[in-house]
Amino acid sequence: MEQVIVTLGERSYPITIAQGLFSNSEAFNPLKSGQQVMIVTNETLAPLYLEQVKSTLQSMGLRVNEVILPDGEQYKSLFVLDGIFSALLENNHGRDTTLLALGGGVIGDMTGFAAASYQRGARFIQVPTTLLSQVDSSVGGKTGVNHPLGKNMIGTFYQPSSVVIDLNCLNTLPAQELYAGLAEVIKYGVALDGEFFNWLENNIEKLLALDNQATAYCIRRCCELKARVVAADEHERSGMRALLNLGHTFGHAIEAEMGYGVWLHGQAVAAGMVMAARASERVGLFSAQDTQRIISLLERAKLPVQGPAEMSPEDYLPHMMRDKKVAAGKLHLVLPTAIGNSELRSDISTDIILDAIRRCRS
């Protein structure tokens, strides 16, 4: 087992990374005999992992129920969220229950939001099953649901009590989901860690092949970077945590305009990173050579580097202006300034944004 600690004082928590954790009761400490657990998963993952996790928890003397949600980003909504509350109430779960999110980013975000809201706060554990959720969304306490007018617009910051990452989950992950997760991996290198980006350039094929050693190192390094940022700026007040949103403002616009689930989150972020790099080029902060390095790595990871042909540059703007980084009517955009460095800017004109999008259309 490897562990990374998210340091938040009394709310600090471990991220445990290893193979075979679903059968290891130690991974689910500090759950204790007699306590209640509600497993939240989806209809795709339930046949793969539910009984294994449930059996481990029951062997610890826990009282376990489950709620199985439909699978897909389009179901990350208040309507579906209500199903979690109904399951908790129907099974007489108290405030001392623990919600366990067994799934990818959608399940993790919804379970965390339900935990934050249920009887004004219940404990929850993140058990991410996709690469994207293992390296990013399961860590840091961002929870919530989508609205037809914007992604993740309804939610709160609410930290898990632990994160349990079983590397064996990646063996059943569809190829497109693996590629989508690599977009968030590459984001860390571009935004925060140039040495990690160099490592990715040398090891991306090993990650595509799910080489155990490379995959374990990659996930641990991403969790270390995320933990460091969250510890420094938990609620996105200083601007440091916003750097993790490189490519996301453009990407969220793609997801909202195309319809949630049409483009996977990681696919949209990949194209969005290239758009951010192009905008940074235009204002003299970033080199065309480094943009090409990003494009090449994304292409090797089998990710899109252009936005949807169906979207005009003007289609992005209404969604971008509803982004959570808009303040006082100004869009705050994360731009790379070098491989491994980025900054939050509020002085990027609409013309530059439109030109960057235009340069990334097929």
Side-chain angles (χ1 to χ4, degrees):
M1 280 189 200
E2 295 189 63
Q3 279 198 338
V4 176
I5 304 298
V6 181
T7 307
L8 293 168
E10 294 181 353
R11 292 175 296 106
S12 298
Y13 57 92
I15 305 165
T16 305
I17 307 166
Q19 291 179 305
L21 288 181
F22 287 177
S23 300
N24 188 335
S25 59
E26 292 183 13
F28 296 99
N29 286 332
L31 294 176
K32 296 178 181 178
S33 179
Q35 293 179 336
Q36 286 180 296
V37 176
M38 176 64 74
I39 300 174
V40 183
T41 189
N42 67 37
E43 58 196 10
T44 300
L45 294 167
L48 297 173
Y49 306 122
L50 177 58
E51 288 307 314
Q52 185 180 12
V53 173
K54 188 175 181 179
S55 177
T56 299
L57 297 177
Q58 288 175 331
S59 73
M60 298 167 64
L62 296 160
R63 294 177 290 151
V64 185
N65 301 113
E66 70 271 356
V67 56
I68 301 174
L69 305 181
D71 183 15
E73 184 80 27
Q74 65 270 35
Y75 300 110
K76 188 178 171 182
S77 67
L78 286 170
F79 178 78
V80 176
L81 181 74
D82 191 57
I84 302 176
F85 297 132
S86 295
L88 288 164
L89 291 166
E90 288 165 1
N91 289 281
N92 299 313
H93 282 249
R95 189 179 185 182
D96 58 350
T97 191
T98 298
L99 282 72
L100 189 147
L102 177 61
V106 171
I107 290 293
D109 283 8
M110 293 181 70
T111 304
F113 191 29
S117 307
Y118 186 66
Q119 298 193 26
R120 299 185 177 89
R123 179 168 61 181
F124 88 107
I125 295 173
Q126 288 272 21
V127 185
T129 60
T130 65
L131 180 61
L132 191 150
S133 59
Q134 290 175 350
V135 301
D136 191 70
S137 62
S138 67
V139 179
K142 282 188 176 182
T143 73
V145 296
N146 298 331
H147 187 278
L149 294 178
K151 184 179 172 70
N152 294 329
M153 283 295 165
I154 305 166
T156 188
F157 290 95
Y158 194 70
Q159 299 295 341
S161 62
S162 66
V163 181
V164 178
I165 298 176
D166 189 332
L167 299 174
N168 289 343
C169 290
L170 300 181
N171 295 326
T172 59
L173 194 65
Q176 291 298 323
E177 292 281 357
L178 175 64
Y179 308 152
L182 288 172
E184 294 285 5
V185 169
I186 292 167
K187 173 204 71 179
Y188 283 109
V190 176
L192 297 174
D193 189 341
E195 288 187 11
F196 183 52
F197 187 90
N198 296 340
W199 182 89
L200 289 170
E201 287 183 311
N202 293 323
N203 291 276
I204 194 69
E205 279 75 26
K206 289 183 179 179
L207 296 178
L208 289 167
L210 293 178
D211 175 87
N212 286 338
Q213 186 174 356
T215 302
Y217 169 75
C218 172
I219 292 172
R220 186 183 76 243
R221 184 58 188 149
C222 291
C223 287
E224 287 171 346
L225 291 166
K226 182 75 176 277
R228 186 184 74 192
V229 170
V230 170
D233 184 22
E234 180 181 4
H235 296 108
E236 235 171 53
R237 288 172 179 153
S238 73
M240 183 176 179
R241 184 162 180 173
L243 301 181
L244 295 173
N245 290 322
L246 175 66
H248 284 59
T249 303
F250 295 100
H252 286 170
I254 292 172
E255 291 182 86
E257 178 71 17
M258 295 297 292
Y260 296 121
V262 176
W263 275 53
L264 294 177
H265 176 67
Q267 294 172 327
V269 167
M273 270 193 286
V274 181
M275 294 173 190
R278 292 297 190 196
S280 196
E281 278 184 50
R282 275 289 309 273
V283 296
L285 294 174
F286 201 61
S287 71
Q289 181 180 0
D290 282 342
T291 299
Q292 190 54 51
R293 286 181 69 192
I294 295 171
I295 291 171
S296 296
L297 185 56
L298 290 170
E299 288 180 333
R300 288 169 62 196
K302 305 185 187 302
L303 286 161
V305 295
Q306 297 175 323
E310 302 93 322
M311 286 181 68
S312 72
E314 290 74 16
D315 289 335
Y316 287 73
L317 293 180
H319 301 289
M320 295 176 74
M321 291 308 299
R322 284 191 288 267
D323 186 84
K324 295 185 294 297
K325 291 182 293 301
V326 171
K330 287 188 175 182
L331 175 62
H332 291 64
L333 197 61
V334 182
L335 299 182
T337 57
I339 296 292
N341 289 284
S342 54
E343 62 183 48
L344 192 62
R345 300 290 293 259
S346 61
D347 59 346
I348 308 303
S349 71
T350 299
D351 287 344
I352 288 174
I353 291 171
L354 290 173
D355 180 68
I357 296 168
R358 200 170 288 117
R359 294 177 66 191
C360 298
R361 289 187 74 206
S362 54

